[in-house]
Amino acid sequence: MRVLQTVALTTSTLAAGLMAGLFAAFAYAVMPGLARSGDHAFVQVMQNINRAIINGWFLLPFLLPLPLLLLAAFLAGDGPNAGAVRFWVIAALVLYVAAFLVTGTQNVPLNEALDKVAALASDRDGLAAARAAFEEAWVRWNTVRALLHATAFGCTAWALHLHG
């Protein structure tokens, strides 16, 4: 049981770190870089990113921590630090679920709306309107999920440390 909990905690920690890094990179590099682009480039690149990101390399670290954190909390047992480990695992799980909900209720609907926009260079007003409806809200919610994932990463790392 201890080995399984260690694997669950380690894998969750790595996955939460990957997600925190991905969303943070969008916050401090990708979106500021795209902000310097014209509307056509912005819409086209975001559409391409949103289509390309749905793959196993993204979905595995995005989804796997949810069941693994539940398993780690269940397997915390009754060792010397079991209560503290369970607390930090549950804290990470709550943060991870919150980040998952932000993605599903905020970022994904914005992505889907932007995906429906025809990225025609001749429709400057339409591209400008699509970008205006997307960019500020998406950046705001991406920052929220980056912070939630980073904090979940910290919680899982601390739980792993306490677990030994």
Side-chain angles (χ1 to χ4, degrees), residues 100-123:
F100 188 82
L101 291 173
V102 165
T103 298
T105 64
Q106 302 300 319
N107 294 93
V108 169
L110 289 166
N111 293 346
E112 290 171 348
L114 191 67
D115 193 52
K116 293 175 181 161
V117 173
L120 302 174
S122 61
D123 183 15

Side-chain angles (χ1 to χ4, degrees), residues 40-58:
H40 180 262
F42 179 91
V43 170
Q44 188 175 39
V45 169
M46 282 307 300
Q47 286 174 334
N48 289 335
I49 289 171
N50 290 332
R51 291 175 189 145
I53 201 165
I54 304 302
N55 64 65
W57 293 108
F58 169 78

Side-chain angles (χ1 to χ4, degrees), residues 28-87:
Y28 62 70
V30 175
M31 298 311 288
L34 281 176
R36 298 175 180 174
S37 301
D39 296 335
H40 180 262
F42 179 91
V43 170
Q44 188 175 39
V45 169
M46 282 307 300
Q47 286 174 334
N48 289 335
I49 289 171
N50 290 332
R51 291 175 189 145
I53 201 165
I54 304 302
N55 64 65
W57 293 108
F58 169 78
L59 291 173
L60 189 64
F62 183 65
L63 298 174
L64 191 58
L66 295 169
L68 289 180
L69 288 169
L70 282 170
L71 179 63
F74 177 74
L75 295 175
D78 58 358
N81 289 328
V85 170
R86 185 175 288 114
F87 172 83

Side-chain angles (χ1 to χ4, degrees), residues 134-154:
F134 175 87
E135 188 173 16
E136 185 179 331
W138 195 93
V139 166
R140 178 178 53 252
W141 288 110
N142 180 70
T143 302
V144 169
R145 67 184 176 169
L147 292 170
L148 289 167
H149 279 286
T151 307
F153 170 76

